[in-house]
Amino acid sequence: MSNLFKKIVFLFTTFCATQVSAQERILIFSKTTGFRHESIEHGVAVLKQLALRNNMKADHSEDSRLFTDSTLAKYDALVFLSTTGDIFNESEKAAFVRFMQSGKGFVGIHAASDTEYSWPWYGQLVGGYFASHPAVQKANINVVDHDHLATKHLPKVWFHRDEWYDFKSMKKGLHILMELDETSYKGGKMGKFHPIAWYQEFDGGRSFYTGLGHTVDAFDTEKFQQHIIGGLHYVMKKK
């Protein structure tokens, strides 16, 4: 074997090792102690495929005992997929807080806002809590920020079918990405200003939330998939 060939092999091996070590890793978390969405299992499968196509490793769990400093240190971002109810004990909460304070990312999908109502830090992380919703139906979504990774692919008005959450305890200062047009569907309770997706920097890290994702079909639409990946790229500080 020539010295030149050996050098090429060495450089290629080093490059591959660097690529593997640099690969981002996410934890998809879907623990529920309240209502459980039928879309969770399919959503997990879709998110894993999206992660693979975007050069990320993805794990899935519903075991909150993973929320320790040593385990969470393996991940660049957490994706809460329609979690519900009180899902953490105090030590798990503390590890979650330290995870965010270390500069990591959080993505909340749909019922992530129907979680931990008695934990103010979590409510601030998500940006608001679920309050109510009408029946699943189509509605117009007004995309108010087209510069973000989660929305730059969307039309100005996105006609989409989902379960439309009303929110309470909305945090001030959120960067709103999309708003619902309540005149386009029945049963909305927030009025003219009805945010449905937003992002923020929070407690040392980054947070992205979308109210979409109730239905199984939602996860099969390319627009929604790109919306989620864009939010994930944002919290992981990718351009």
Side-chain angles (χ1 to χ4, degrees):
M1 185 182 293
S2 69
N3 289 334
L4 177 60
F5 184 74
K6 289 180 179 179
K7 186 175 182 180
I8 291 173
V9 170
F10 173 77
L11 291 174
F12 179 75
T13 303
T14 302
F15 172 78
C16 290
T18 302
Q19 290 300 102
V20 171
S21 63
Q23 190 176 33
E24 290 94 349
R25 188 174 182 180
I26 65 172
L27 174 63
I28 304 165
F29 190 63
S30 56
K31 181 178 178 178
T32 57
T33 60
F35 181 83
R36 186 170 181 86
H37 283 75
E38 294 180 359
S39 59
I40 287 177
E41 281 68 29
H42 183 58
V44 169
V46 170
L47 289 173
K48 284 186 173 182
Q49 286 298 314
L50 289 175
L52 183 63
R53 294 205 300 262
N54 285 270
N55 195 34
M56 303 177 196
K57 294 181 179 179
D59 298 324
H60 169 245
S61 180
E62 298 197 345
D63 187 355
S64 61
R65 291 174 296 180
L66 293 179
F67 280 67
T68 65
D69 292 336
S70 59
T71 301
L72 292 183
K74 303 174 184 177
Y75 297 103
D76 298 285
L78 306 175
V79 180
F80 277 36
L81 177 58
S82 285
T83 52
T84 56
D86 294 332
I87 54 179
F88 296 115
N89 63 30
E90 292 306 313
S91 64
E92 292 161 356
K93 289 179 180 179
F96 189 3
V97 171
R98 289 190 291 269
F99 173 84
M100 292 302 299
Q101 290 175 341
S102 71
K104 300 298 183 68
F106 170 86
V107 169
I109 300 175
H110 197 55
S113 62
D114 190 22
T115 303
E116 293 288 353
Y117 285 90
S118 60
W119 185 16
W121 181 89
Y122 182 82
Q124 293 289 297
L125 169 71
V126 175
Y129 284 114
F130 161 75
S132 62
H133 66 77
V136 173
Q137 58 194 295
K138 291 184 177 180
N140 286 337
I141 303 172
N142 294 323
V143 180
V144 297
D145 182 351
H146 270 105
D147 294 327
H148 196 271
L149 291 169
T151 50
K152 64 180 183 179
H153 65 287
L154 294 172
K156 185 175 182 180
V157 178
W158 179 15
F159 191 51
H160 180 72
R161 180 179 178 272
D162 218 306
E163 182 181 72
W164 305 115
Y165 275 8
D166 300 299
F167 300 98
K168 61 183 180 180
S169 305
M170 288 288 298
K171 181 181 179 181
K172 294 182 179 179
L174 297 170
H175 299 279
I176 307 301
L177 293 169
M178 307 191 307
E179 298 176 7
L180 284 176
D181 176 2
E182 288 196 357
T183 67
S184 67
Y185 73 102
K186 296 180 180 179
K189 297 181 179 179
M190 294 185 70
K192 291 184 178 180
F193 180 62
H194 190 149
I196 197 64
W198 54 79
Y199 70 96
Q200 60 171 323
E201 294 190 4
F202 178 78
D203 205 9
R206 287 184 173 186
S207 170
F208 165 84
Y209 173 81
T210 180
L212 283 64
H214 171 82
T215 68
V216 173
D217 293 346
F219 287 90
D220 293 327
T221 64
E222 185 177 355
K223 287 185 175 67
F224 181 61
Q225 291 177 3
Q226 291 182 12
H227 179 56
I228 295 300
I229 284 297
L232 191 53
H233 282 169
Y234 162 73
V235 302
M236 294 166 67
K237 303 178 182 178
K238 297 180 71 173
K239 296 181 179 179

